[in-house]
Amino acid sequence: MGKVHLEDNETKEKKTEFSLVRVKGTWKRKLTNKVKKDTGDCVSPAKIYESITEQGTSWTVVSPIVFTYKVMETQDLLDPINDTLLLGHITDKQQLEDVKKSNKPIKRFVVVDQEVYKIYGPRLTEYMEANNVVYKILALPTTEENKSMEMALKILEEVNKFSLDRRTEPIIAIGGGVCMDIVGLAASLYRRRTPYIRVPTTLLSYIDASVGAKTGVNFANCKNKLGAYIPPTAVFLDLSFIQTVPRRHISNGLAEMLKMALMKHRGLFELLENHGCMLLDTKFQADNSVFGHSSSQVASQATRIAITTMLEELAPNLWEDDLNRLVDFGHVISPALEMKVLPSLLHGEAVNIDMSYMVYVSKESGLLTEEEKQRIISCMVGLKLPVWHEACTMELIQRSLQDRLKHSGGLVRMPLPVGLGQADIFNTTSCEILQTAYEKWCDELSISSDSNCGH
């Protein structure tokens, strides 16, 4: 009787898989095994699974979401004859032709960092006027201290007054990572998702914030606690913007570039080790008077490797479903450190201090040799990055690791270098190793470091 009872239980639930087929302007569900794919019918990748039990009916919807976005190098983005800023995001050839033939004026809402606007405002205005664009330019102080929901709402109020088409008129963000994060979040909220375009104007945002899907603002004194994963429709990369960035901010961006080098690409590390000073001096521009064409070649090579390795890590994991992320190197302790001493440390500087300590953890764990450790620290110093900070106490480190446990599924998931250009994720680094690494880190680097970063 027991066996019959089990079989009877199993038959009480009836599961059916349905596909969705477009029929005369509407969608109809059809049994998946009855759908013929060669009939020309439009079949959605979504499916509905219906389950009927004695308690009632339940439906499970599986609806794949595919995001397509372009990360595109360009030159002279604000030259009026370059239509990339206005049309470069359109991938459908027919749509592009239709827009070019249309008499309807192009309409764009632009949010620009106010410091960037001081430099490029006249050129941006001239660009819009020359192309007969109906536009609104909103210049804002997009700093880490102002990275708040209030600023996102301020943007949304202005967007609402301007009245955008939420499908065909993307919001444009021009500035650093903070600007692009805030605008991205605002766009994701307006009409549930309005497309937006990123134009990075700092080195840090050029190789880091611009290429992923994250948006966000600070909340409850925590970095990026509110946000969404909504990629831009396009990213336009113009290295010429970097020439007006202060030297300290070039170093700031080099920290994220060094992160990708240490995690994934020995060749990039050696480029930074050998040519980092030149990149700082030339601000990633061609400088024929001093370095010849090699400066622009190295700049192009370094940025492309950094972006490619970043995309390799981000593209399969845009929503961070997998919490084992090599790109988190330098981001275990730095968020708490950055918020604690705001605004004295820039983001990349805080990241580098985190990486510097973790290099010592790797050495004490037997993952790096003393020579490799010294080469990495020397490279950091050569890039004019801080390698130690008095506010990065053992207490702050331990608190950061505890927070990491809470937000990473009960595991620390600590990315550590295991050589130059190679890394792995570790969950069981002992307290003794962390303490020993901290003591050696302080002993060797605190004397020569300036807690104000020497700027």
Side-chain angles (χ1 to χ4, degrees):
M1 286 294 292
K3 187 175 180 183
V4 172
H5 181 65
L6 283 171
E7 288 178 349
D8 191 41
N9 266 349
E10 288 172 2
T11 60
K12 285 182 180 178
E13 183 175 9
K14 181 185 175 186
K15 290 184 178 178
T16 313
E17 178 181 321
F18 292 97
S19 290
L20 293 152
V21 181
R22 187 185 279 278
V23 180
K24 293 183 179 178
T26 188
W27 292 97
K28 297 282 189 182
R29 68 176 198 171
K30 290 189 177 182
L31 290 168
T32 296
N33 57 12
K34 299 274 181 76
V35 174
K36 296 177 181 177
K37 294 184 178 179
D38 56 354
T39 61
D41 288 339
C42 179
V43 182
S44 170
K47 284 189 167 52
I48 297 174
Y49 297 87
E50 185 177 271
S51 177
I52 302 173
T53 66
E54 289 180 349
Q55 284 74 36
T57 304
S58 66
W59 296 267
T60 301
V61 177
V62 177
S63 183
I65 298 174
V66 176
F67 271 107
T68 302
Y69 67 102
K70 292 168 71 174
V71 180
M72 177 180 171
E73 289 183 328
T74 187
Q75 293 180 334
D76 301 318
L77 188 66
L78 296 182
D79 185 331
I81 65 171
N82 183 349
D83 65 5
T84 300
L85 185 61
L86 301 174
L87 304 177
H89 65 288
I90 301 174
T91 54
D92 184 275
K93 288 183 180 179
Q94 186 57 54
Q95 184 187 355
L96 184 60
E97 286 301 312
D98 291 344
V99 171
K100 286 182 175 180
K101 289 176 184 175
S102 172
N103 292 322
K104 181 184 174 185
I106 292 173
K107 194 174 186 182
R108 291 293 182 268
F109 188 95
V110 183
V111 181
V112 58
D113 176 81
Q114 68 179 18
E115 296 305 311
V116 174
Y117 185 75
K118 287 175 186 176
I119 301 168
Y120 296 102
R123 285 185 62 193
L124 180 59
T125 303
E126 182 186 336
Y127 179 91
M128 295 295 176
E129 297 282 354
N131 286 283
N132 300 312
V133 180
V134 176
Y135 67 94
K136 163 77 175 178
I137 298 174
L138 182 63
L140 293 173
T142 54
T143 62
E144 198 68 44
E145 303 95 294
N146 297 327
K147 193 179 183 182
S148 64
M149 203 67 203
E150 287 73 24
M151 183 167 282
L153 290 172
K154 181 175 181 177
I155 293 168
L156 288 169
E157 285 174 8
E158 295 298 325
V159 167
N160 194 48
K161 288 178 194 172
F162 188 66
S163 185
L164 280 174
D165 183 306
R166 65 172 173 152
R167 288 291 173 262
T168 62
E169 294 169 351
I171 298 170
I172 300 173
I174 304 177
V178 173
C179 178
M180 293 189 294
D181 279 356
I182 300 171
V183 173
L185 180 61
S188 75
L189 294 172
Y190 190 68
R191 305 296 298 273
R192 296 186 179 86
R193 185 168 72 86
T194 296
Y196 70 102
I197 287 167
R198 289 172 173 164
V199 179
T201 59
T202 65
L203 180 61
L204 182 73
S205 59
Y206 191 100
I207 52 119
D208 181 38
S210 66
V211 298
K214 286 182 178 179
T215 70
V217 294
N218 300 334
F219 178 73
N221 203 36
C222 291
K223 192 171 171 64
N224 296 324
K225 199 159 192 179
L226 300 180
Y229 294 106
I230 302 290
T233 188
V235 181
F236 301 133
L237 304 171
D238 184 346
L239 263 180
S240 68
F241 283 117
I242 311 302
Q243 67 190 306
T244 54
V245 173
R247 185 180 172 90
R248 180 183 177 190
H249 286 261
I250 303 291
S251 289
N252 188 50
L254 284 166
E256 288 284 358
M257 195 175 280
L258 179 60
K259 174 188 79 175
M260 299 313 297
L262 293 174
M263 291 293 96
K264 287 178 62 83
H265 204 289
R266 184 182 179 120
L268 179 56
F269 173 77
E270 290 171 349
L271 262 181
L272 296 177
E273 187 179 41
N274 296 324
H275 303 291
C277 288
M278 179 184 73
L279 291 173
L280 263 175
D281 291 338
T282 60
K283 295 188 175 183
F284 283 73
Q285 310 301 308
D287 188 341
N288 297 328
S289 62
V290 181
F291 297 106
H293 292 292
S294 64
S295 60
S296 59
Q297 289 171 355
V298 171
S300 178
Q301 189 178 4
T303 51
R304 284 178 186 174
I305 294 171
I307 289 168
T308 301
T309 52
M310 187 76 78
L311 286 172
E312 282 177 346
E313 292 299 304
L314 298 183
N317 193 26
L318 273 183
W319 284 264
E320 293 183 5
D321 299 311
D322 183 357
L323 296 174
N324 288 328
R325 305 171 68 249
L326 290 183
V327 292
D328 280 351
F329 183 54
H331 293 71
V332 176
I333 301 160
S334 64
L337 174 63
E338 188 176 350
M339 295 303 286
K340 181 179 180 180
V341 301
L342 201 69
S344 68
L345 280 177
L346 299 175
H347 174 70
E349 293 169 343
V351 166
N352 200 74
I353 290 163
D354 184 328
M355 293 195 298
S356 173
Y357 169 65
M358 290 300 176
V359 165
Y360 274 74
V361 172
S362 277
K363 167 60 177 65
E364 292 309 305
S365 301
L367 306 173
L368 287 177
T369 65
E370 178 66 24
E371 183 198 3
E372 287 170 333
K373 182 192 86 174
Q374 293 298 342
R375 280 182 68 183
I376 294 169
I377 299 299
S378 295
C379 182
M380 290 173 170
V381 172
L383 298 176
K384 307 303 179 192
L385 286 161
V387 291
W388 181 87
H389 197 287
E390 61 188 1
C392 191
T393 61
M394 197 64 216
E395 181 190 0
L396 183 138
I397 291 168
Q398 288 169 340
R399 191 169 68 248
S400 296
L401 292 173
Q402 286 302 314
D403 285 345
R404 182 86 171 167
L405 282 171
K406 279 192 281 185
H407 302 303
S408 296
L411 296 172
V412 178
R413 305 179 197 271
M414 186 188 292
L416 291 173
V418 297
L420 298 175
Q422 292 178 285
D424 209 341
I425 305 287
F426 295 86
N427 293 308
T428 56
T429 307
S430 71
C431 294
E432 289 77 16
I433 285 177
L434 293 171
Q435 182 65 42
T436 303
Y438 180 76
E439 289 169 4
K440 290 188 177 180
W441 182 59
C442 291
D443 287 345
E444 294 181 15
L445 299 182
S446 64
I447 299 168
S448 59
S449 289
D450 184 335
S451 62
N452 292 319
C453 310
H455 296 290

